[in-house]
Amino acid sequence: MKFKTVITGFVLLFLSQAEAELLQRAEVAAFVRDMVTEYDYDADELNDVLGRVQLSEKVIAAISRPAEALPWHRYRSIFIKPSRVRGGVEFWRRHLVQLEHARELYGVPVEIMVAVIGVETRYGNNTGGFKVINSLSTLAFDYPKRSKFFTGELKQYLLLAREQSLDPHTLKGSYAGAMGIPQFIPSSYRAYAVDFDDDGLIDIWENPADAIGSVGNYFKVHGWREGAGITAPASVRETDNSALLTKGLELKLSMGDMAAGGVTAEGDIDPAEKVKLLQLENKDGYEYWLALHNFYVITRYNHSALYAMAVYQLAEAIRAQYQPGT
């Protein structure tokens, strides 16, 4: 027992020193000053919050190996599987009224909202086990590559906690600080989350209605076009098509440009419509798709073509299995 007590004391001393060192760092002091100046945050309160932060090597390791770096065939296998399709059908049946209301209000197909929640958290069954304050602080202060972005999210999170009268150390989420059933980062919560059941509280952690409404609102605000297509399978000539594989996710070329380069699509796409050619890696080669405007909107939720394609294909599989009235 005496040995255990000594070890425990050593660990606590190490943590307290690490926390004290965090408060002594110049960038952390600057962050506190900014919060006081910009948002009238209490300096002593914020120092207490940050003094209890535990920076996490697991967070850095996780963000350094995102699933979106995988080839398509491996990424797809994570999300397009029978159990997740069945879960989507069950979620649709269980929350039919709220989903239909969201479809009517925001114009987003039910299966897309369901698939987003399915990809993000398996319909609320896995919302993350990292303390949000620890994740965001780690990425803000110990991940230079995206420090600016996550410093902004840490600010948004602290403002959210103050608005909701929450202890910032109570909420858990993903390694990147995404929260709740739809995995909203703090800025998205403050900008797009809605009280969809009018109970006076926006709760994306425990309330599926608010999660559903928030996803629908997010897509609506980002320009979802009701009734428009999302993506279409494409065929390409056996020639160099590198000029058509534009960088980024924006739709820079028209369907007419694609046709002139030897790309054809299943279904009719207006020659003037902006599209993006997608080249997805399989075990035995590539498959090609044309991303349309609503596909781009899905990438606003997660800036990845693989993510948007997984949402689309999961949505299609769920819709194929869902039977109204059963």
Side-chain angles (χ1 to χ4, degrees):
M1 287 293 293
K2 188 174 182 180
F3 178 74
K4 182 178 180 181
T5 301
V6 171
I7 294 296
T8 301
F10 176 79
V11 171
L12 291 175
L13 176 62
F14 175 80
L15 290 176
S16 65
Q17 288 175 339
E19 291 157 0
E21 289 173 2
L22 179 64
L23 292 178
Q24 292 169 7
R25 289 168 60 170
E27 64 270 31
V28 177
F31 177 84
V32 172
R33 288 195 299 272
D34 288 346
M35 291 297 292
V36 171
T37 302
E38 295 177 27
Y39 303 107
D40 197 29
Y41 222 98
D42 183 86
D44 291 337
E45 179 183 346
L46 187 51
N47 280 321
D48 174 67
V49 170
L50 295 176
R52 291 184 281 136
V53 161
Q54 295 181 16
L55 301 181
S56 172
E57 292 183 2
K58 289 183 178 180
V59 167
I60 300 297
I63 202 167
S64 299
R65 54 172 191 274
E68 286 74 18
L70 296 171
W72 166 241
H73 66 93
R74 289 183 59 194
Y75 187 88
R76 185 184 190 279
S77 68
I78 298 172
F79 302 105
I80 315 301
K81 54 180 57 177
S83 60
R84 208 169 299 231
V85 175
R86 288 194 301 270
V89 172
E90 292 167 4
F91 187 87
W92 191 336
R93 290 172 179 160
R94 191 160 58 247
H95 304 291
L96 175 62
V97 173
Q98 296 95 331
L99 285 162
E100 285 296 330
H101 179 42
R103 180 188 60 77
E104 294 172 0
L105 187 62
Y106 301 117
V108 182
V110 166
E111 62 269 22
I112 291 294
M113 292 182 284
V114 173
V116 166
I117 292 172
V119 167
E120 292 291 346
T121 61
R122 286 191 290 109
Y123 314 104
N125 290 307
N126 182 15
T127 57
F130 292 85
K131 271 192 175 184
V132 174
I133 187 69
N134 290 344
S135 294
L136 294 177
S137 297
T138 298
L139 295 169
F141 304 128
D142 271 2
Y143 190 58
K145 184 178 179 180
R146 299 194 66 192
S147 176
K148 182 177 180 181
F149 173 80
F150 284 107
T151 297
E153 289 304 316
L154 180 57
K155 288 182 178 181
Q156 293 293 316
Y157 177 68
L158 290 166
L159 293 172
L160 165 62
R162 184 170 67 177
E163 291 163 357
Q164 299 284 334
S165 300
L166 297 170
D167 179 349
H169 282 268
T170 60
L171 300 181
K172 292 185 177 181
S174 75
Y175 65 82
M179 304 175 293
I181 297 169
Q183 292 289 275
F184 272 17
I185 56 175
S187 60
S188 292
Y189 179 100
R190 296 188 73 230
Y192 311 114
V194 296
D195 175 15
F196 202 58
D197 60 359
D198 296 321
D199 66 353
L201 178 67
I202 301 175
D203 176 12
I204 63 170
W205 292 272
E206 304 288 342
N207 189 336
D210 287 358
I212 289 165
S214 297
V215 171
N217 184 52
Y218 188 99
F219 282 132
K220 177 68 174 181
V221 173
H222 282 82
W224 187 272
R225 294 175 183 169
E226 184 173 3
I230 297 174
T231 184
S235 299
V236 301
R237 286 179 186 162
E238 295 291 333
T239 57
D240 180 18
N241 52 42
S242 58
L244 302 177
L245 293 168
T246 55
K247 293 183 179 180
L249 295 167
E250 293 80 8
L251 313 182
K252 298 176 181 178
L253 300 177
S254 69
M255 186 62 223
D257 296 328
M258 293 293 172
V263 177
T264 57
E266 290 186 14
D268 294 327
I269 301 177
D270 190 312
E273 184 169 353
K274 293 291 185 181
V275 297
K276 176 178 174 58
L277 181 63
L278 304 174
Q279 178 179 265
L280 304 180
E281 183 180 354
N282 290 321
K283 289 181 179 180
D284 55 354
Y286 295 101
E287 61 181 275
Y288 293 89
W289 294 73
L290 285 169
L292 309 178
H293 173 78
N294 281 344
F295 187 94
Y296 177 75
V297 173
I298 297 174
T299 68
R300 300 306 84 203
Y301 207 100
N302 180 319
H303 294 183
S304 164
L306 299 188
Y307 174 87
M309 186 60 73
V311 167
Y312 169 75
Q313 292 193 5
L314 180 59
E316 291 291 288
I318 292 169
R319 183 166 60 90
Q321 286 199 17
Y322 177 76
Q323 298 294 326
T326 61

